[in-house]
Amino acid sequence: MINFIFFYFFFSIHPIYISVVEINSKENNLEIVFKIFRDDLEDGIKNNLGKNVSIDSQYKVDLNNKIIQEYLNAVTSIKVNNEKKELLFLNFILENERIKINTKINNNSIIDTIEIYNEILIDVFSNQKNIIFFNIYNQFNNDFLDKSKKKTVLFIKKVNKSISCN
């Protein structure tokens, strides 16, 4: 009986496809960190851009960072106060099987809203989940994006200094 339960449990588990985006304010600028499993990112690049890349070493990540930038720019966008902002890519770090991509957005005004559109790997995996963590002016929030919800908007309320996601 225990073998049956183990067999059922082992083969009923489905792979988890997840990426993480951390958005932190530094004064009025934003620091954005993407964390994506490298093999999933390879699949996303192939599916979206039609390019075969291998990013299984730091050397190969460095060699292909322009293609990674092209992919992220194709599947994500960020608006601050309804103005589309450009991601400035700082570095690409391979950590075990995950790639950490550090970016920033220069912004000269107080942040009232942040809109993030995120389709990372959604065209590759039907059960892909993209988690967004916000730390804006030391106020924390998060949201989950997937095939049915590809965008979230964070509203920063100055009156009571609270934030909410829609």
Side-chain angles (χ1 to χ4, degrees):
M1 180 67 170
I2 291 178
N3 287 339
F4 175 76
I5 293 171
F6 176 77
F7 179 81
Y8 177 77
F9 179 75
F10 182 76
F11 286 102
S12 67
I13 296 175
H14 295 282
I16 297 173
Y17 298 103
I18 193 163
S19 78
V20 174
V21 178
E22 298 171 357
I23 302 176
N24 301 295
S25 64
K26 296 292 180 187
E27 297 183 11
N28 293 326
N29 298 313
L30 296 175
E31 293 179 350
I32 301 153
V33 179
F34 295 89
K35 297 177 181 177
I36 309 167
F37 286 104
R38 68 151 195 90
D39 57 337
D40 295 344
L41 183 55
E42 291 170 348
D43 291 341
I45 290 168
K46 182 177 181 178
N47 193 336
N48 191 276
L49 302 177
K51 298 178 180 179
N52 287 317
V53 296
S54 174
I55 47 179
D56 59 358
S57 70
Q58 186 62 49
Y59 171 77
K60 290 180 182 177
V61 170
D62 295 339
L63 189 65
N64 290 298
N65 69 24
K66 295 292 184 202
I67 294 171
I68 297 169
Q69 288 180 43
E70 183 182 352
Y71 175 73
L72 286 179
N73 283 326
V75 296
T76 64
S77 69
I78 297 177
K79 292 182 180 178
V80 176
N81 302 336
N82 293 318
E83 181 183 338
K84 187 174 180 186
K85 297 292 185 171
E86 179 183 354
L87 287 174
L88 304 172
F89 291 86
L90 304 174
N91 58 40
F92 303 76
I93 302 163
L94 181 62
E95 298 175 330
N96 298 319
E97 290 298 308
R98 183 182 69 177
I99 297 197
K100 180 178 170 185
I101 303 155
N102 293 301
T103 69
K104 73 176 186 174
I105 290 177
N106 292 326
N107 183 55
N108 296 322
S109 60
I110 293 173
I111 301 168
D112 294 318
T113 63
I114 298 173
E115 176 183 306
I116 182 164
Y117 178 83
N118 183 338
E119 257 191 328
I120 292 174
L121 301 172
I122 287 176
D123 59 337
V124 179
F125 306 111
S126 62
N127 56 347
Q128 173 71 28
K129 302 288 184 215
N130 296 323
I131 304 171
I132 315 295
F133 292 103
F134 296 96
N135 176 0
I136 308 301
Y137 303 131
N138 292 318
Q139 300 173 52
F140 301 92
N141 207 329
N142 62 67
D143 206 353
F144 294 86
L145 302 179
D146 59 19
K147 194 172 206 146
S148 65
K149 180 183 177 189
K150 299 176 184 176
K151 176 178 81 168
T152 188
V153 180
L154 180 75
F155 296 95
I156 295 101
K157 298 176 185 173
K158 292 181 243 175
V159 176
N160 60 5
K161 298 196 181 231
S162 66
I163 58 177
S164 63
C165 279
N166 282 345

mmCIF file of all heavy atoms in Angstrom, residues 91-132:
data_model
loop_
_atom_site.group_PDB
_atom_site.id
_atom_site.type_symbol
_atom_site.label_atom_id
_atom_site.label_comp_id
_atom_site.label_asym_id
_atom_site.label_seq_id
_atom_site.Cartn_x
_atom_site.Cartn_y
_atom_site.Cartn_z
ATOM 1 N N ASN A 91 23.841 43.455 -14.803
ATOM 2 C CA ASN A 91 24.644 42.236 -14.854
ATOM 3 C C ASN A 91 23.760 41.002 -14.887
ATOM 4 O O ASN A 91 22.567 41.054 -14.593
ATOM 5 C CB ASN A 91 25.675 42.167 -13.722
ATOM 6 C CG ASN A 91 25.052 42.253 -12.352
ATOM 7 O OD1 ASN A 91 24.006 41.686 -12.087
ATOM 8 N ND2 ASN A 91 25.704 42.972 -11.449
ATOM 9 N N PHE A 92 24.400 39.906 -15.276
ATOM 10 C CA PHE A 92 23.747 38.609 -15.440
ATOM 11 C C PHE A 92 24.597 37.608 -14.656
ATOM 12 O O PHE A 92 25.775 37.437 -14.964
ATOM 13 C CB PHE A 92 23.716 38.202 -16.914
ATOM 14 C CG PHE A 92 23.028 39.203 -17.804
ATOM 15 C CD1 PHE A 92 23.662 40.381 -18.172
ATOM 16 C CD2 PHE A 92 21.753 38.966 -18.277
ATOM 17 C CE1 PHE A 92 23.047 41.302 -18.999
ATOM 18 C CE2 PHE A 92 21.127 39.886 -19.098
ATOM 19 C CZ PHE A 92 21.774 41.054 -19.457
ATOM 20 N N ILE A 93 23.989 36.961 -13.674
ATOM 21 C CA ILE A 93 24.752 36.069 -12.804
ATOM 22 C C ILE A 93 24.103 34.689 -12.810
ATOM 23 O O ILE A 93 22.903 34.556 -12.520
ATOM 24 C CB ILE A 93 24.794 36.616 -11.366
ATOM 25 C CG1 ILE A 93 25.418 38.022 -11.358
ATOM 26 C CG2 ILE A 93 25.575 35.673 -10.449
ATOM 27 C CD1 ILE A 93 25.153 38.801 -10.093
ATOM 28 N N LEU A 94 24.893 33.675 -13.125
ATOM 29 C CA LEU A 94 24.419 32.295 -13.053
ATOM 30 C C LEU A 94 24.651 31.796 -11.637
ATOM 31 O O LEU A 94 25.783 31.766 -11.160
ATOM 32 C CB LEU A 94 25.160 31.416 -14.068
ATOM 33 C CG LEU A 94 24.746 29.948 -14.119
ATOM 34 C CD1 LEU A 94 23.281 29.805 -14.531
ATOM 35 C CD2 LEU A 94 25.640 29.180 -15.084
ATOM 36 N N GLU A 95 23.566 31.456 -10.952
ATOM 37 C CA GLU A 95 23.619 30.925 -9.589
ATOM 38 C C GLU A 95 22.997 29.536 -9.609
ATOM 39 O O GLU A 95 21.780 29.423 -9.669
ATOM 40 C CB GLU A 95 22.840 31.814 -8.617
ATOM 41 C CG GLU A 95 23.367 33.214 -8.496
ATOM 42 C CD GLU A 95 22.498 34.100 -7.608
ATOM 43 O OE1 GLU A 95 21.260 33.872 -7.529
ATOM 44 O OE2 GLU A 95 23.053 35.028 -7.003
ATOM 45 N N ASN A 96 23.834 28.511 -9.571
ATOM 46 C CA ASN A 96 23.365 27.128 -9.702
ATOM 47 C C ASN A 96 22.609 26.997 -11.016
ATOM 48 O O ASN A 96 23.174 27.212 -12.066
ATOM 49 C CB ASN A 96 22.545 26.706 -8.486
ATOM 50 C CG ASN A 96 23.375 26.754 -7.214
ATOM 51 O OD1 ASN A 96 24.533 26.362 -7.210
ATOM 52 N ND2 ASN A 96 22.785 27.245 -6.140
ATOM 53 N N GLU A 97 21.358 26.688 -10.991
ATOM 54 C CA GLU A 97 20.568 26.520 -12.223
ATOM 55 C C GLU A 97 19.687 27.726 -12.530
ATOM 56 O O GLU A 97 18.844 27.682 -13.411
ATOM 57 C CB GLU A 97 19.698 25.262 -12.111
ATOM 58 C CG GLU A 97 20.501 23.979 -12.146
ATOM 59 C CD GLU A 97 21.250 23.806 -13.467
ATOM 60 O OE1 GLU A 97 20.622 23.911 -14.539
ATOM 61 O OE2 GLU A 97 22.480 23.579 -13.419
ATOM 62 N N ARG A 98 19.900 28.809 -11.815
ATOM 63 C CA ARG A 98 19.066 29.994 -11.958
ATOM 64 C C ARG A 98 19.912 31.163 -12.460
ATOM 65 O O ARG A 98 21.070 31.323 -12.077
ATOM 66 C CB ARG A 98 18.462 30.331 -10.601
ATOM 67 C CG ARG A 98 17.523 31.484 -10.599
ATOM 68 C CD ARG A 98 17.021 31.754 -9.221
ATOM 69 N NE ARG A 98 18.151 32.256 -8.435
ATOM 70 C CZ ARG A 98 18.070 32.659 -7.187
ATOM 71 N NH1 ARG A 98 16.934 32.560 -6.543
ATOM 72 N NH2 ARG A 98 19.113 33.122 -6.554
ATOM 73 N N ILE A 99 19.321 31.992 -13.292
ATOM 74 C CA ILE A 99 19.986 33.210 -13.752
ATOM 75 C C ILE A 99 19.353 34.393 -13.033
ATOM 76 O O ILE A 99 18.120 34.528 -12.991
ATOM 77 C CB ILE A 99 19.865 33.375 -15.276
ATOM 78 C CG1 ILE A 99 20.569 32.216 -15.937
ATOM 79 C CG2 ILE A 99 20.397 34.720 -15.714
ATOM 80 C CD1 ILE A 99 20.902 32.370 -17.365
ATOM 81 N N LYS A 100 20.202 35.203 -12.468
ATOM 82 C CA LYS A 100 19.777 36.425 -11.783
ATOM 83 C C LYS A 100 20.204 37.594 -12.666
ATOM 84 O O LYS A 100 21.378 37.744 -12.988
ATOM 85 C CB LYS A 100 20.446 36.506 -10.412
ATOM 86 C CG LYS A 100 20.089 37.722 -9.627
ATOM 87 C CD LYS A 100 20.794 37.656 -8.268
ATOM 88 C CE LYS A 100 20.666 38.949 -7.520
ATOM 89 N NZ LYS A 100 21.449 38.931 -6.274
ATOM 90 N N ILE A 101 19.223 38.402 -13.073
ATOM 91 C CA ILE A 101 19.472 39.516 -13.983
ATOM 92 C C ILE A 101 19.136 40.804 -13.236
ATOM 93 O O ILE A 101 17.984 41.034 -12.865
ATOM 94 C CB ILE A 101 18.611 39.382 -15.250
ATOM 95 C CG1 ILE A 101 18.907 38.032 -15.921
ATOM 96 C CG2 ILE A 101 18.858 40.546 -16.200
ATOM 97 C CD1 ILE A 101 17.798 37.504 -16.764
ATOM 98 N N ASN A 102 20.146 41.609 -12.994
ATOM 99 C CA ASN A 102 19.966 42.873 -12.277
ATOM 100 C C ASN A 102 19.784 44.000 -13.278
ATOM 101 O O ASN A 102 20.597 44.168 -14.196
ATOM 102 C CB ASN A 102 21.179 43.153 -11.384
ATOM 103 C CG ASN A 102 21.290 42.159 -10.255
ATOM 104 O OD1 ASN A 102 20.395 42.022 -9.439
ATOM 105 N ND2 ASN A 102 22.391 41.435 -10.220
ATOM 106 N N THR A 103 18.711 44.758 -13.090
ATOM 107 C CA THR A 103 18.412 45.890 -13.955
ATOM 108 C C THR A 103 18.019 47.073 -13.091
ATOM 109 O O THR A 103 17.842 46.939 -11.873
ATOM 110 C CB THR A 103 17.255 45.567 -14.927
ATOM 111 O OG1 THR A 103 16.038 45.446 -14.190
ATOM 112 C CG2 THR A 103 17.507 44.300 -15.710
ATOM 113 N N LYS A 104 17.874 48.209 -13.735
ATOM 114 C CA LYS A 104 17.355 49.370 -13.020
ATOM 115 C C LYS A 104 16.580 50.245 -13.980
ATOM 116 O O LYS A 104 16.702 50.128 -15.207
ATOM 117 C CB LYS A 104 18.476 50.157 -12.342
ATOM 118 C CG LYS A 104 19.355 50.943 -13.274
ATOM 119 C CD LYS A 104 20.368 51.775 -12.483
ATOM 120 C CE LYS A 104 21.151 52.676 -13.414
ATOM 121 N NZ LYS A 104 22.014 53.585 -12.688
ATOM 122 N N ILE A 105 15.769 51.110 -13.403
ATOM 123 C CA ILE A 105 15.023 52.116 -14.149
ATOM 124 C C ILE A 105 15.299 53.454 -13.489
ATOM 125 O O ILE A 105 15.106 53.602 -12.270
ATOM 126 C CB ILE A 105 13.509 51.822 -14.149
ATOM 127 C CG1 ILE A 105 13.209 50.601 -15.006
ATOM 128 C CG2 ILE A 105 12.715 53.036 -14.610
ATOM 129 C CD1 ILE A 105 11.754 50.186 -15.019
ATOM 130 N N ASN A 106 15.753 54.407 -14.289
ATOM 131 C CA ASN A 106 15.937 55.757 -13.784
ATOM 132 C C ASN A 106 14.603 56.483 -13.854
ATOM 133 O O ASN A 106 13.907 56.435 -14.873
ATOM 134 C CB ASN A 106 16.997 56.503 -14.599
ATOM 135 C CG ASN A 106 18.372 55.919 -14.384
ATOM 136 O OD1 ASN A 106 18.717 55.445 -13.305
ATOM 137 N ND2 ASN A 106 19.186 55.949 -15.422
ATOM 138 N N ASN A 107 14.254 57.130 -12.771
ATOM 139 C CA ASN A 107 12.969 57.818 -12.678
ATOM 140 C C ASN A 107 13.189 59.091 -11.857
ATOM 141 O O ASN A 107 13.827 59.040 -10.809
ATOM 142 C CB ASN A 107 11.938 56.904 -12.008
ATOM 143 C CG ASN A 107 10.579 57.534 -11.941
ATOM 144 O OD1 ASN A 107 10.034 57.942 -12.945
ATOM 145 N ND2 ASN A 107 10.024 57.622 -10.748
ATOM 146 N N ASN A 108 12.659 60.206 -12.320
ATOM 147 C CA ASN A 108 12.914 61.485 -11.652
ATOM 148 C C ASN A 108 11.765 61.997 -10.802
ATOM 149 O O ASN A 108 11.870 63.052 -10.213
ATOM 150 C CB ASN A 108 13.270 62.550 -12.703
ATOM 151 C CG ASN A 108 14.559 62.210 -13.416
ATOM 152 O OD1 ASN A 108 15.493 61.706 -12.806
ATOM 153 N ND2 ASN A 108 14.609 62.481 -14.709
ATOM 154 N N SER A 109 10.662 61.262 -10.740
ATOM 155 C CA SER A 109 9.508 61.760 -9.995
ATOM 156 C C SER A 109 9.062 60.751 -8.943
ATOM 157 O O SER A 109 9.436 59.588 -8.978
ATOM 158 C CB SER A 109 8.358 62.065 -10.955
ATOM 159 O OG SER A 109 7.984 60.892 -11.640
ATOM 160 N N ILE A 110 8.263 61.230 -8.033
ATOM 161 C CA ILE A 110 7.698 60.354 -6.998
ATOM 162 C C ILE A 110 6.831 59.305 -7.682
ATOM 163 O O ILE A 110 6.073 59.615 -8.609
ATOM 164 C CB ILE A 110 6.870 61.169 -5.986
ATOM 165 C CG1 ILE A 110 7.808 62.093 -5.205
ATOM 166 C CG2 ILE A 110 6.086 60.283 -5.050
ATOM 167 C CD1 ILE A 110 7.117 63.056 -4.292
ATOM 168 N N ILE A 111 6.928 58.082 -7.221
ATOM 169 C CA ILE A 111 6.196 56.977 -7.837
ATOM 170 C C ILE A 111 4.787 56.915 -7.261
ATOM 171 O O ILE A 111 4.609 56.747 -6.053
ATOM 172 C CB ILE A 111 6.931 55.648 -7.598
ATOM 173 C CG1 ILE A 111 8.341 55.723 -8.190
ATOM 174 C CG2 ILE A 111 6.147 54.480 -8.176
ATOM 175 C CD1 ILE A 111 9.258 54.593 -7.762
ATOM 176 N N ASP A 112 3.795 57.055 -8.147
ATOM 177 C CA ASP A 112 2.389 56.913 -7.753
ATOM 178 C C ASP A 112 1.847 55.547 -8.162
ATOM 179 O O ASP A 112 1.057 54.954 -7.441
ATOM 180 C CB ASP A 112 1.527 58.011 -8.393
ATOM 181 C CG ASP A 112 1.873 59.395 -7.875
ATOM 182 O OD1 ASP A 112 2.087 59.550 -6.660
ATOM 183 O OD2 ASP A 112 1.941 60.324 -8.708
ATOM 184 N N THR A 113 2.264 55.082 -9.354
ATOM 185 C CA THR A 113 1.827 53.770 -9.839
ATOM 186 C C THR A 113 2.988 53.082 -10.552
ATOM 187 O O THR A 113 3.844 53.736 -11.144
ATOM 188 C CB THR A 113 0.649 53.878 -10.835
ATOM 189 O OG1 THR A 113 1.063 54.602 -11.982
ATOM 190 C CG2 THR A 113 -0.573 54.507 -10.193
ATOM 191 N N ILE A 114 2.970 51.767 -10.470
ATOM 192 C CA ILE A 114 3.880 50.934 -11.257
ATOM 193 C C ILE A 114 3.021 49.883 -11.932
ATOM 194 O O ILE A 114 2.254 49.173 -11.270
ATOM 195 C CB ILE A 114 4.933 50.228 -10.383
ATOM 196 C CG1 ILE A 114 5.810 51.250 -9.667
ATOM 197 C CG2 ILE A 114 5.787 49.288 -11.228
ATOM 198 C CD1 ILE A 114 6.758 50.637 -8.671
ATOM 199 N N GLU A 115 3.147 49.802 -13.244
ATOM 200 C CA GLU A 115 2.457 48.768 -14.013
ATOM 201 C C GLU A 115 3.519 47.848 -14.595
ATOM 202 O O GLU A 115 4.464 48.317 -15.219
ATOM 203 C CB GLU A 115 1.642 49.397 -15.135
ATOM 204 C CG GLU A 115 0.981 48.389 -16.040
ATOM 205 C CD GLU A 115 0.244 49.061 -17.187
ATOM 206 O OE1 GLU A 115 -0.602 49.944 -16.920
ATOM 207 O OE2 GLU A 115 0.514 48.687 -18.352
ATOM 208 N N ILE A 116 3.365 46.563 -14.362
ATOM 209 C CA ILE A 116 4.296 45.604 -14.947
ATOM 210 C C ILE A 116 3.515 44.596 -15.770
ATOM 211 O O ILE A 116 2.516 44.037 -15.322
ATOM 212 C CB ILE A 116 5.187 44.898 -13.899
ATOM 213 C CG1 ILE A 116 6.176 43.954 -14.595
ATOM 214 C CG2 ILE A 116 4.376 44.216 -12.832
ATOM 215 C CD1 ILE A 116 7.323 43.494 -13.741
ATOM 216 N N TYR A 117 3.957 44.465 -17.004
ATOM 217 C CA TYR A 117 3.436 43.450 -17.917
ATOM 218 C C TYR A 117 4.515 42.382 -17.996
ATOM 219 O O TYR A 117 5.675 42.689 -18.276
ATOM 220 C CB TYR A 117 3.167 44.074 -19.292
ATOM 221 C CG TYR A 117 2.679 43.086 -20.316
ATOM 222 C CD1 TYR A 117 1.338 42.731 -20.372
ATOM 223 C CD2 TYR A 117 3.557 42.509 -21.221
ATOM 224 C CE1 TYR A 117 0.888 41.826 -21.319
ATOM 225 C CE2 TYR A 117 3.111 41.599 -22.165
ATOM 226 C CZ TYR A 117 1.775 41.265 -22.203
ATOM 227 O OH TYR A 117 1.332 40.365 -23.139
ATOM 228 N N ASN A 118 4.159 41.136 -17.717
ATOM 229 C CA ASN A 118 5.158 40.077 -17.617
ATOM 230 C C ASN A 118 4.625 38.806 -18.260
ATOM 231 O O ASN A 118 3.721 38.161 -17.735
ATOM 232 C CB ASN A 118 5.492 39.832 -16.146
ATOM 233 C CG ASN A 118 6.571 38.815 -15.935
ATOM 234 O OD1 ASN A 118 6.835 37.976 -16.786
ATOM 235 N ND2 ASN A 118 7.193 38.866 -14.777
ATOM 236 N N GLU A 119 5.212 38.455 -19.411
ATOM 237 C CA GLU A 119 4.856 37.234 -20.129
ATOM 238 C C GLU A 119 6.016 36.248 -20.144
ATOM 239 O O GLU A 119 6.076 35.387 -21.008
ATOM 240 C CB GLU A 119 4.510 37.576 -21.584
ATOM 241 C CG GLU A 119 3.062 37.576 -21.879
ATOM 242 C CD GLU A 119 2.811 37.666 -23.380
ATOM 243 O OE1 GLU A 119 3.583 38.278 -24.116
ATOM 244 O OE2 GLU A 119 1.781 37.110 -23.794
ATOM 245 N N ILE A 120 6.928 36.373 -19.175
ATOM 246 C CA ILE A 120 8.099 35.488 -19.140
ATOM 247 C C ILE A 120 7.625 34.038 -19.128
ATOM 248 O O ILE A 120 6.872 33.624 -18.249
ATOM 249 C CB ILE A 120 8.989 35.787 -17.917
ATOM 250 C CG1 ILE A 120 9.635 37.164 -18.058
ATOM 251 C CG2 ILE A 120 10.052 34.707 -17.731
ATOM 252 C CD1 ILE A 120 10.418 37.616 -16.843
ATOM 253 N N LEU A 121 8.029 33.287 -20.129
ATOM 254 C CA LEU A 121 7.796 31.846 -20.283
ATOM 255 C C LEU A 121 6.335 31.433 -20.395
ATOM 256 O O LEU A 121 6.041 30.246 -20.474
ATOM 257 C CB LEU A 121 8.471 31.077 -19.139
ATOM 258 C CG LEU A 121 9.982 31.283 -19.049
ATOM 259 C CD1 LEU A 121 10.532 30.653 -17.794
ATOM 260 C CD2 LEU A 121 10.671 30.730 -20.284
ATOM 261 N N ILE A 122 5.420 32.373 -20.439
ATOM 262 C CA ILE A 122 4.000 32.018 -20.522
ATOM 263 C C ILE A 122 3.679 31.364 -21.863
ATOM 264 O O ILE A 122 2.817 30.499 -21.941
ATOM 265 C CB ILE A 122 3.114 33.255 -20.241
ATOM 266 C CG1 ILE A 122 3.177 33.568 -18.742
ATOM 267 C CG2 ILE A 122 1.681 33.039 -20.693
ATOM 268 C CD1 ILE A 122 2.450 34.802 -18.307
ATOM 269 N N ASP A 123 4.403 31.739 -22.912
ATOM 270 C CA ASP A 123 4.177 31.120 -24.218
ATOM 271 C C ASP A 123 4.794 29.732 -24.309
ATOM 272 O O ASP A 123 4.520 28.990 -25.244
ATOM 273 C CB ASP A 123 4.712 32.014 -25.339
ATOM 274 C CG ASP A 123 6.203 32.302 -25.225
ATOM 275 O OD1 ASP A 123 6.743 32.198 -24.116
ATOM 276 O OD2 ASP A 123 6.823 32.639 -26.246
ATOM 277 N N VAL A 124 5.617 29.364 -23.322
ATOM 278 C CA VAL A 124 6.290 28.065 -23.327
ATOM 279 C C VAL A 124 5.570 27.054 -22.435
ATOM 280 O O VAL A 124 5.361 25.914 -22.829
ATOM 281 C CB VAL A 124 7.761 28.210 -22.857
ATOM 282 C CG1 VAL A 124 8.464 26.863 -22.836
ATOM 283 C CG2 VAL A 124 8.518 29.192 -23.734
ATOM 284 N N PHE A 125 5.205 27.474 -21.242
ATOM 285 C CA PHE A 125 4.600 26.571 -20.251
ATOM 286 C C PHE A 125 3.215 27.075 -19.865
ATOM 287 O O PHE A 125 3.072 28.200 -19.370
ATOM 288 C CB PHE A 125 5.476 26.482 -18.994
ATOM 289 C CG PHE A 125 6.905 26.112 -19.276
ATOM 290 C CD1 PHE A 125 7.928 27.031 -19.103
ATOM 291 C CD2 PHE A 125 7.232 24.842 -19.727
ATOM 292 C CE1 PHE A 125 9.247 26.698 -19.365
ATOM 293 C CE2 PHE A 125 8.542 24.493 -19.993
ATOM 294 C CZ PHE A 125 9.552 25.423 -19.814
ATOM 295 N N SER A 126 2.204 26.248 -20.081
ATOM 296 C CA SER A 126 0.834 26.672 -19.787
ATOM 297 C C SER A 126 0.602 26.912 -18.299
ATOM 298 O O SER A 126 -0.283 27.669 -17.928
ATOM 299 C CB SER A 126 -0.163 25.643 -20.314
ATOM 300 O OG SER A 126 0.033 24.395 -19.670
ATOM 301 N N ASN A 127 1.411 26.290 -17.438
ATOM 302 C CA ASN A 127 1.238 26.465 -15.998
ATOM 303 C C ASN A 127 2.299 27.386 -15.390
ATOM 304 O O ASN A 127 2.521 27.361 -14.184
ATOM 305 C CB ASN A 127 1.224 25.109 -15.284
ATOM 306 C CG ASN A 127 2.462 24.283 -15.568
ATOM 307 O OD1 ASN A 127 3.232 24.580 -16.464
ATOM 308 N ND2 ASN A 127 2.651 23.231 -14.789
ATOM 309 N N GLN A 128 2.928 28.233 -16.213
ATOM 310 C CA GLN A 128 3.940 29.174 -15.740
ATOM 311 C C GLN A 128 3.330 30.180 -14.778
ATOM 312 O O GLN A 128 2.245 30.712 -15.016
ATOM 313 C CB GLN A 128 4.553 29.928 -16.933
ATOM 314 C CG GLN A 128 5.501 31.043 -16.563
ATOM 315 C CD GLN A 128 6.813 30.546 -15.995
ATOM 316 O OE1 GLN A 128 7.257 29.455 -16.308
ATOM 317 N NE2 GLN A 128 7.440 31.337 -15.160
ATOM 318 N N LYS A 129 4.031 30.450 -13.681
ATOM 319 C CA LYS A 129 3.638 31.477 -12.705
ATOM 320 C C LYS A 129 4.793 32.463 -12.585
ATOM 321 O O LYS A 129 5.949 32.072 -12.449
ATOM 322 C CB LYS A 129 3.370 30.883 -11.322
ATOM 323 C CG LYS A 129 2.306 29.811 -11.307
ATOM 324 C CD LYS A 129 0.944 30.372 -11.515
ATOM 325 C CE LYS A 129 -0.093 29.270 -11.402
ATOM 326 N NZ LYS A 129 -1.199 29.435 -12.288
ATOM 327 N N ASN A 130 4.479 33.738 -12.643
ATOM 328 C CA ASN A 130 5.464 34.798 -12.475
ATOM 329 C C ASN A 130 5.090 35.592 -11.230
ATOM 330 O O ASN A 130 4.030 36.208 -11.183
ATOM 331 C CB ASN A 130 5.518 35.688 -13.714
ATOM 332 C CG ASN A 130 5.988 34.925 -14.939
ATOM 333 O OD1 ASN A 130 6.847 34.060 -14.848
ATOM 334 N ND2 ASN A 130 5.414 35.225 -16.085
ATOM 335 N N ILE A 131 5.960 35.542 -10.241
ATOM 336 C CA ILE A 131 5.703 36.206 -8.971
ATOM 337 C C ILE A 131 6.418 37.555 -8.984
ATOM 338 O O ILE A 131 7.588 37.641 -9.324
ATOM 339 C CB ILE A 131 6.205 35.358 -7.791
ATOM 340 C CG1 ILE A 131 5.584 33.971 -7.836
ATOM 341 C CG2 ILE A 131 5.908 36.057 -6.470
ATOM 342 C CD1 ILE A 131 6.174 33.000 -6.850
ATOM 343 N N ILE A 132 5.686 38.591 -8.594
ATOM 344 C CA ILE A 132 6.240 39.934 -8.524
ATOM 345 C C ILE A 132 6.238 40.362 -7.056
ATOM 346 O O ILE A 132 5.199 40.329 -6.400
ATOM 347 C CB ILE A 132 5.384 40.949 -9.325
ATOM 348 C CG1 ILE A 132 4.985 40.404 -10.690
ATOM 349 C CG2 ILE A 132 6.082 42.302 -9.398
ATOM 350 C CD1 ILE A 132 6.101 40.163 -11.639
#
